[in-house]
Amino acid sequence: MGFFTRCTALFLATSALFNVIFASALPPLVDNKRHFVLTLTWEKISPDGVERDMFLVNGQFPGPLLEMNEGDDVVILVKNESPYNATIHYHGIEMMGTPWSDGVPGISQNHIQPGCAFTQRWKATQRGTFFYHSHSESQVNDGLYGPIVIHPALNTPKPYSMITEDPVSLHAIELAEKRRIPMVLSDWRHITSDKEWEISEQSHIEHICFDSILINGKGNVNCLSPEEQPALTTPGQAALLGLVPGAKLTTKSCLPPDVLAAIPGSPGALPVDLAVIPPDLFNKCTATTGSSDMIEVTKTKCEAEKWIMLDLIGTFGLHTVQVSLDELTMWVVAADANYVEPTAANSILVANGQRYTVLVKLPAEGPSRRYTFRVSSVSDPQILFATSTIDYRVQGSKPAQVYANNTSASASTPWINVRGVNLTSDVVFFDPSAVKPFQPAPIPRDVDKTYKFTMQIDGNNNQWAFNVTRDRDLDTAGVAPPLLFAPRPGLQDNHTITVPSEASWVDYVMQVPVGQPPHPVHAHGRHFYVLGQGSGAFKWDSVAEAVQDVPELFNLVNPPLRDTFPTPASSLEAAWLVLRRPSDNPGVWFLHCHIMSHLQGGMSMVIQDGTDDLPEIPKEFLDWSCQA
Ligand SMILES: *[C@@H]1O[C@H](CO)[C@@H](O)[C@H](O)[C@H]1NC(C)=O
Ligand SMILES: *[C@@H]1O[C@H](CO)[C@@H](O)[C@H](O)[C@H]1NC(C)=O
Ligand SMILES: *[C@@H]1O[C@H](CO)[C@@H](O)[C@H](O)[C@H]1NC(C)=O
Ligand SMILES: *[C@@H]1O[C@H](CO)[C@@H](O)[C@H](O)[C@H]1NC(C)=O
Ligand SMILES: *[C@@H]1O[C@H](CO)[C@@H](O)[C@H](O)[C@H]1NC(C)=O
Ligand SMILES: *[C@@H]1O[C@H](CO)[C@@H](O)[C@H](O)[C@H]1NC(C)=O
Ligand SMILES: [Cu+2]
């Protein structure tokens, strides 16, 4: 058999066998359901070269990939073998008809106490990239998360033919989609989340330094010299440093405690106590050579083209980053698991809780090569960055490792620097506000209810309010029974809104006073449309009025569909963001900022959607107390 025939046969075989081949990577169906077990433990490991206590899931960090097909009925047994209360939330999963499996303590379930187990059941009604994470306190900062991929059902319309119509390329893209590569991006501290919160509560400041950024759970501590820092200081950082005469970034490239202390709280804030902060937390940086993620990609002789699909998953506790892959172009094809019209970019802004699925075409010819994948924080509190490697090997050429000590061959050319700033003028940045959903569904011109929130500090600057007052008890203590089991019809208070059952669409207006950082707003249950944003005060009574007044600030035709989207930064001027969301999935849902310190500091709101139409809670959930 000649070379051509062999490759053609392989091409046809892989096309036909796709589903058989990839189905074998999924856990088997039992009783027609996809079963997973997540065992949580608390152990010592060293993701960036420094050992600490942290969560593992099934002995791994990040937790294992949960892979399933659209339409699957999913059953997940969570066994808590750690010494802490915990719950698991499936971020971005809309939980149609199963609000009791959403995993929020005090809202949809009680805590899973140490030694206990809880079973969650939901249907994979969506497709794309998600992640699971703890919803107790700031346990995300202790590593309790892992990726989820839902493979699209057969015959799902996909946007790939908007990139290319060449059948050879489309075949290569389909292959890449089956073998998609999760890129779990996180910020990392050497102290536990409990310790961090304790220091924050005692000192009355937030933003205790991080130590590294991890890519798929691997990383290094990078330290910048005092000579390197000034050129990398952002305007936002410089403005904050200006609060204290002579202030400079610390050895860990953080805003120093006295600058953090100078960020005003609201009236009645307690005096700051900097003496309780161990000085090393800000002022000692010891570089490590921990570990670095390397993804090996091989283009075989039979593959005419090589594409890869990366799932960028922002599991950060605080930081928002620019992501780039040296020399290559990323085609964004999905945002928060929703297909979009493909957009080419060299650098993508990823906020905590957001996901992007990107396709990358690798060169067909030429030598094997190592491409550096860069993650650079753009957040004010600290300069933090990381890299990993895509090791691309063209079958038949020498492996890239041969060139590892040959800088002229091994170093790929960056698009961005460690602050996420472009190094040349031809770098294309992805614009999250301009991206269009693929085959958008019509959205209503009018809504039934409008709720307005003001994102602000309430007390000291580690205490945050989603509207006026911070939420003091829900997430941290976990109320029993959970709100879902005892909904309070009609309740409107500082922490709860009740959307009437007859309302089908709702506008959420986030008002941002001057001086706020971006708050990545995350809604549980249904996703929302990012309808519009602007600067200044939101001075209208309704979105309809605003649309009439400033139509150019709204998109009522094909706005982005997301589950996490940041409010605009408001360093110089107030700002606003309007989200339009269907209220057709009765349940008790959390709406909150996805920055862990803001969430733990009280920045959350409970939405009771359609409490008259709540599905009956299954007995196994109502009666659960410890064992699954
Ligand atoms: C763990 O959860 C239980 C039940 O919600 C609660 O009574 C207990 O105080 C929690 N423990 C901690 C340490 O938060
Ligand atoms: C690169 O490393 C290899 C093996 O480690 C060594 O034999 C070779 O001399 C090195 N080449 C250069 C240019 O340093
Ligand atoms: C280094 O890489 C370049 C480019 O691939 C190649 O031309 C050169 O021979 C390599 N040098 C060594 C010492 O391997
Ligand atoms: C970065 O991009 C902007 C906008 O295209 C451009 O004005 C600027 O010169 C670029 N920076 C560098 C260092 O080339
Ligand atoms: C937010 O607080 C303001 C001021 O107290 C209040 O008028 C408004 O109704 C609150 N918004 C919601 C959604 O509860
Ligand atoms: C709601 O917030 C307002 C403004 O801070 C406060 O005056 C009021 O007491 C709060 N209501 C409750 C029930 O806590
Ligand atoms: Cu926030």
Side-chain angles (χ1 to χ4, degrees):
M1 211 196 274
F3 170 77
F4 176 77
T5 340
R6 244 185 308 143
C7 286
T8 312
L10 193 67
F11 179 97
L12 293 173
T14 51
S15 300
L17 286 173
F18 254 172
N19 293 301
V20 178
I21 289 169
F22 100 89
S24 65
L26 274 59
L29 290 169
V30 176
D31 290 341
N32 251 343
K33 296 180 178 68
R34 199 74 70 188
H35 290 256
F36 300 91
V37 178
L38 301 178
T39 303
L40 319 182
T41 55
W42 182 253
E43 300 182 46
K44 283 188 194 317
I45 63 163
S46 321
D48 65 2
V50 174
E51 189 179 77
R52 59 157 283 188
D53 288 309
M54 58 178 288
F55 279 103
L56 300 186
V57 185
N58 300 358
Q60 286 173 238
F61 170 65
L65 171 67
L66 306 186
E67 214 177 338
M68 61 197 73
N69 290 330
E70 184 177 354
D72 280 354
D73 284 305
V74 179
V75 182
I76 304 176
L77 169 62
V78 180
K79 293 177 165 177
N80 186 2
E81 296 179 3
S82 84
Y84 297 101
N85 283 346
T87 64
I88 297 293
H89 166 65
Y90 304 91
H91 184 107
I93 301 287
E94 57 191 3
M95 293 286 159
M96 292 301 286
T98 57
W100 42 80
S101 288
D102 196 41
V104 187
I107 295 185
S108 64
Q109 68 174 88
N110 290 319
H111 275 300
I112 312 172
Q113 295 185 49
C116 295
F118 181 69
T119 300
Q120 284 156 296
R121 298 173 186 273
W122 45 272
K123 193 174 186 70
T125 54
Q126 301 147 282
R127 67 217 65 80
T129 307
F130 306 84
F131 66 112
Y132 54 93
H133 65 77
S134 164
H135 224 297
S136 295
E137 300 177 331
S138 294
Q139 289 174 352
V140 162
N141 289 338
D142 298 317
L144 189 33
Y145 43 79
I148 301 175
V149 163
I150 306 180
H151 293 284
L154 289 176
N155 305 322
T156 300
K158 298 171 188 173
Y160 309 143
S161 62
M162 298 173 82
I163 302 175
T164 171
E165 290 187 349
D166 177 1
V168 172
S169 309
L170 286 170
H171 177 77
I173 287 174
E174 287 285 335
L175 253 182
E177 188 200 65
K178 300 291 186 256
R179 298 170 187 169
R180 46 207 297 170
I181 302 166
M183 300 298 275
V184 177
L185 315 177
S186 30
D187 43 16
W188 193 243
R189 285 191 184 95
H190 295 156
I191 56 170
T192 63
S193 67
D194 272 0
K195 186 71 191 162
E196 183 259 335
W197 184 246
E198 182 192 308
I199 295 169
S200 200
E201 283 279 86
Q202 290 175 356
S203 62
H204 299 300
I205 64 164
E206 71 166 345
H207 299 323
I208 308 301
C209 290
F210 284 80
D211 291 288
S212 57
I213 281 183
L214 306 180
I215 301 171
N216 288 330
K218 298 187 174 128
N220 299 294
V221 177
N222 296 303
C223 307
L224 294 172
S225 68
E227 293 72 43
E228 289 169 307
Q229 284 173 351
L232 296 169
T233 305
T234 61
Q237 234 161 25
L240 288 164
L241 287 170
L243 292 172
V244 175
K248 291 202 302 269
L249 294 180
T250 71
T251 316
K252 277 190 190 170
S253 299
C254 302
L255 293 175
D258 54 351
V259 167
L260 296 172
I263 298 172
S266 63
L270 298 168
V272 167
D273 179 4
L274 296 183
V276 300
I277 301 174
D280 282 3
L281 275 189
F282 282 81
N283 286 317
K284 188 166 179 216
C285 189
T286 309
T288 63
T289 44
S291 54
S292 179
D293 192 51
M294 160 112 68
I295 287 161
E296 293 181 24
V297 178
T298 306
K299 176 174 166 294
T300 65
K301 288 215 166 67
C302 284
E303 289 177 295
E305 276 185 16
K306 190 73 190 181
W307 289 72
I308 52 173
M309 182 178 271
L310 305 177
D311 286 316
L312 313 177
I313 307 176
T315 63
F316 304 100
L318 168 72
H319 286 267
T320 287
V321 299
Q322 284 289 342
V323 169
S324 76
L325 184 50
D326 285 2
E327 297 173 11
L328 300 170
T329 294
M330 298 182 277
W331 285 93
V332 178
V333 295
D336 294 353
N338 301 302
Y339 284 125
V340 298
E341 290 188 4
T343 312
N346 306 122
S347 188
I348 301 172
L349 188 76
V350 183
N352 17 19
Q354 294 190 310
R355 287 92 60 219
Y356 287 104
T357 300
V358 303
L359 276 165
V360 180
K361 184 183 181 181
L362 291 157
E365 305 300 333
S368 306
R369 187 134 177 71
R370 283 186 172 176
Y371 296 96
T372 301
F373 178 84
R374 292 176 203 274
V375 179
S376 305
S377 171
V378 297
S379 300
D380 286 335
Q382 188 171 8
I383 305 177
L384 211 58
F385 55 93
T387 61
S388 71
T389 308
I390 307 274
D391 183 283
Y392 176 50
R393 188 160 175 222
V394 182
Q395 209 175 56
S397 30
K398 274 199 262 180
Q401 291 91 302
V402 168
Y403 300 114
N405 58 357
N406 177 349
T407 47
S408 66
S410 66
S412 53
T413 308
W415 297 109
I416 58 167
N417 72 2
V418 300
R419 280 325 303 260
V421 175
N422 55 310
L423 292 166
T424 57
S425 56
D426 57 350
V427 178
V428 178
F429 285 91
F430 176 74
D431 178 355
S433 303
V435 69
K436 298 181 173 66
F438 174 61
Q439 299 187 342
I443 56 164
R445 284 205 72 84
D446 294 306
V447 294
D448 306 296
K449 288 294 278 185
T450 302
Y451 297 99
K452 290 184 184 173
F453 308 90
T454 302
M455 321 293 282
Q456 60 192 345
I457 287 172
D458 172 35
N460 288 94
N461 68 30
N462 65 330
Q463 297 174 317
W464 293 90
F466 210 101
N467 193 41
V468 186
T469 55
R470 70 197 157 99
D471 196 337
R472 287 181 178 79
D473 47 19
L474 266 181
D475 188 48
T476 42
V479 295
L483 296 179
L484 177 67
F485 295 6
R488 296 163 291 175
L491 181 67
Q492 300 290 141
D493 67 15
N494 287 336
H495 310 305
T496 317
I497 58 174
T498 301
V499 180
S501 287
E502 62 276 14
S504 50
W505 283 84
V506 173
D507 279 340
Y508 298 91
V509 179
M510 314 294 163
Q511 306 172 108
V512 193
V514 180
Q516 292 286 300
H519 297 288
V521 173
H522 173 55
H524 290 212
R526 294 288 257 152
H527 291 198
F528 49 71
Y529 288 99
V530 182
L531 213 64
Q533 56 185 302
S535 50
F538 189 87
K539 58 188 183 202
W540 306 274
D541 285 333
S542 69
V543 172
E545 273 177 33
V547 169
Q548 235 172 18
D549 202 10
V550 283
E552 67 280 9
L553 301 182
F554 288 90
N555 179 351
L556 289 148
V557 180
N558 50 6
L561 178 62
R562 306 297 300 251
D563 56 53
T564 312
F565 203 81
T567 54
S570 62
S571 31
L572 298 175
E573 207 183 346
W576 52 267
L577 174 74
V578 173
L579 309 176
R580 181 165 289 185
R581 179 174 175 273
S583 174
D584 59 355
N585 183 18
V588 181
W589 307 111
F590 218 17
L591 177 70
H592 63 89
C593 175
H594 218 272
I595 291 176
M596 285 305 124
S597 50
H598 294 192
L599 173 59
Q600 194 164 9
M603 199 167 222
S604 63
M605 190 52 84
V606 173
I607 307 174
Q608 299 194 128
D609 258 329
T611 44
D612 296 343
D613 304 322
L614 279 181
E616 194 184 332
I617 299 170
K619 203 168 161 356
E620 69 168 287
F621 288 88
L622 269 181
D623 293 350
W624 175 82
S625 64
C626 176
Q627 288 310 319

